[in-house]
Amino acid sequence: MKIVRIIAAVLLALGAFTVYSQNTVTPVEEINMVDAEGLKQGKWERIYPNGKLMYKATFKDDKPVGEMIRYHSNGKMMARIVYDEAGVNGQGELYDENGRKVAEGRYIGNNKEGEWLFYNSKGVLISRENYKDNLKDGESYTYYENGKPALLTTWKDGVQQGPETQWYSSGATRVTTSFTNGKLHGPYTVYFENGNREIYGMYNMDQLDGTWFFFTALGQLDYKLTFENGVPKEQDILELRENERFSEFEKNRGRLKDPEHFKDDPDSYMMDR
C-alpha cells in the first residue's frame, strides 16, 4: 500500500546515501562529499535512471540536517523531512504520486515516534496512530470519511494488546472485544445498530470458547452454540444460513480494521513497492 511504500522509501533513501558514497570516487561540484573519516558532509543528491531527481539532503557528520526531500520517479515530491541541527529529530510529511499528502508525523533518526496522522486521497483524516521506536504503541484510531471513529485498537511494542472497539458510521457501537499478545481473548460482543446485542461469547487465544448466544434485532435470544477448541458441538443447529451470518461478522471485523483499503502497517507496505 502506498503510505507504507513512501515511508520505507524514505528509510531506504537514508541507507542509500551510505551505499552511494562508497561508489563515489571524485566529488562533482562539491556534491556527495565525504570527509577523511568517511562521514557524509554537505549537499547530497541522487538521480533516477530516467534523469529525474530522486532525493536531495544536507549532511553534517553523517547525519541529515535541515530539509531532506525524496521524490517519486515522476518528479512529484514523495516526502519532506526537516531535521534539527543534531540530525536526530525530524518532522515529516509524505505524499502520493499525485502530490497529495497522505501522512505526517515525527521521526527520531529513521524511526517513527509519537502521533502519526494518515489521510485518504481526498485529504480526509482516516487514521491516527501512536509509535514508539517505529512500532505501534498506545491507541490507534481509524475514522470514517464523516469524521466519526470506525475502530479503536490498543498496541504495545507493535503487538495488539488490550481493548478494541468498532463503530457503525452512525456512531453506534458495533463490536467490543479485547486482544492478548495479538490474539482475540475474552468477551466478544456484536451489536445491532439499534443498540441490542446480536452475538455474545468468549474467545480463548483466537478460538471461540464456551457458550455463544445469538439474539434477534428485538433483543430476544434466538439460539445458543457451545464451542470447544473453536468447533461447535451442535452441528445440527449450525445451519448454513447461521454459519454465514456469523462468518459475515468475522469478515466485517477484519475489514473494519482497514476501512480506507490502503493503509495497514506503514512500514511493510512501502517495502512492497
Side-chain angles (χ1 to χ4, degrees):
M1 302 191 322
K2 289 186 177 178
I3 291 180
V4 183
R5 291 173 179 166
I6 295 173
I7 295 175
V10 172
L11 301 182
L12 290 173
L14 291 174
F17 284 121
T18 302
V19 175
Y20 191 65
S21 68
Q22 296 172 353
N23 296 326
T24 301
V25 179
T26 58
V28 178
E29 297 181 356
E30 297 186 348
I31 293 178
N32 303 337
M33 297 282 292
V34 296
D35 61 18
E37 298 179 355
L39 302 180
K40 294 183 289 292
Q41 304 288 354
K43 294 182 179 180
W44 274 70
E45 295 182 357
R46 191 172 183 184
I47 307 298
Y48 281 107
N50 65 6
K52 292 187 179 294
L53 185 63
M54 180 182 294
Y55 53 69
K56 61 181 180 179
T58 300
F59 279 80
K60 181 178 180 181
D61 297 333
D62 226 35
K63 294 182 179 179
V65 293
E67 184 178 70
M68 185 188 85
I69 299 181
R70 167 85 179 190
Y71 298 90
H72 292 283
S73 59
N74 65 1
K76 296 283 188 178
M77 185 166 61
M78 176 187 291
R80 178 179 180 269
I81 305 175
V82 179
Y83 285 96
D84 59 16
E85 293 185 359
V88 175
N89 296 293
Q91 190 65 32
E93 295 179 345
L94 310 180
Y95 299 83
D96 66 15
E97 293 180 348
N98 295 312
R100 295 178 294 236
K101 184 166 68 174
V102 293
E104 59 182 332
R106 184 166 64 97
Y107 288 98
I108 294 183
N110 294 344
N111 294 332
K112 296 189 298 297
E113 189 74 19
E115 184 178 74
W116 273 74
L117 306 179
F118 298 86
Y119 306 90
N120 66 11
S121 59
K122 300 177 182 178
V124 177
L125 178 68
I126 53 170
S127 183
R128 184 188 305 267
E129 299 181 345
N130 287 281
Y131 288 84
K132 182 178 179 181
D133 296 329
N134 217 39
L135 299 174
K136 286 185 182 181
D137 198 272
E139 293 184 343
S140 291
Y141 276 93
T142 301
Y143 299 94
Y144 290 106
E145 283 200 356
N146 64 10
K148 292 184 178 181
L151 173 68
L152 167 63
T153 57
T154 49
W155 300 77
K156 181 65 175 176
D157 297 329
V159 178
Q160 192 167 351
Q161 185 83 14
E164 175 184 298
T165 303
Q166 300 171 24
W167 292 273
Y168 291 97
S169 58
S170 64
T173 300
R174 184 172 188 173
V175 177
T176 59
T177 186
S178 61
F179 281 74
T180 298
N181 297 325
K183 297 180 181 294
L184 279 165
H185 189 73
Y188 183 91
T189 307
V190 179
Y191 297 89
F192 289 105
E193 198 164 1
N194 64 12
N196 288 334
R197 287 191 303 180
E198 181 169 4
I199 300 174
Y200 173 78
M202 298 287 292
Y203 269 96
N204 183 9
M205 302 306 287
D206 261 355
Q207 290 191 329
L208 290 77
D209 187 59
T211 302
W212 281 65
F213 301 87
F214 298 79
F215 302 88
T216 68
L218 297 177
Q220 298 175 328
L221 180 64
D222 191 3
Y223 64 95
K224 297 185 294 183
L225 291 174
T226 302
F227 290 84
E228 185 174 346
N229 297 322
V231 179
K233 294 183 176 180
E234 304 91 342
Q235 290 288 348
D236 55 330
I237 299 179
L238 190 61
E239 300 176 359
L240 178 60
R241 62 182 180 85
E242 300 298 352
N243 187 36
E244 290 177 344
R245 172 192 180 190
F246 187 77
S247 296
E248 181 66 20
F249 279 102
E250 284 296 284
K251 182 174 66 176
N252 287 337
R253 191 196 70 80
R255 187 162 63 241
L256 270 177
K257 285 180 177 293
D258 193 11
E260 72 281 6
H261 293 291
F262 73 85
K263 183 195 67 60
D264 191 352
D265 174 20
D267 292 320
S268 61
Y269 174 70
M270 282 243 337
M271 297 301 292
D272 295 337
R273 186 180 174 83

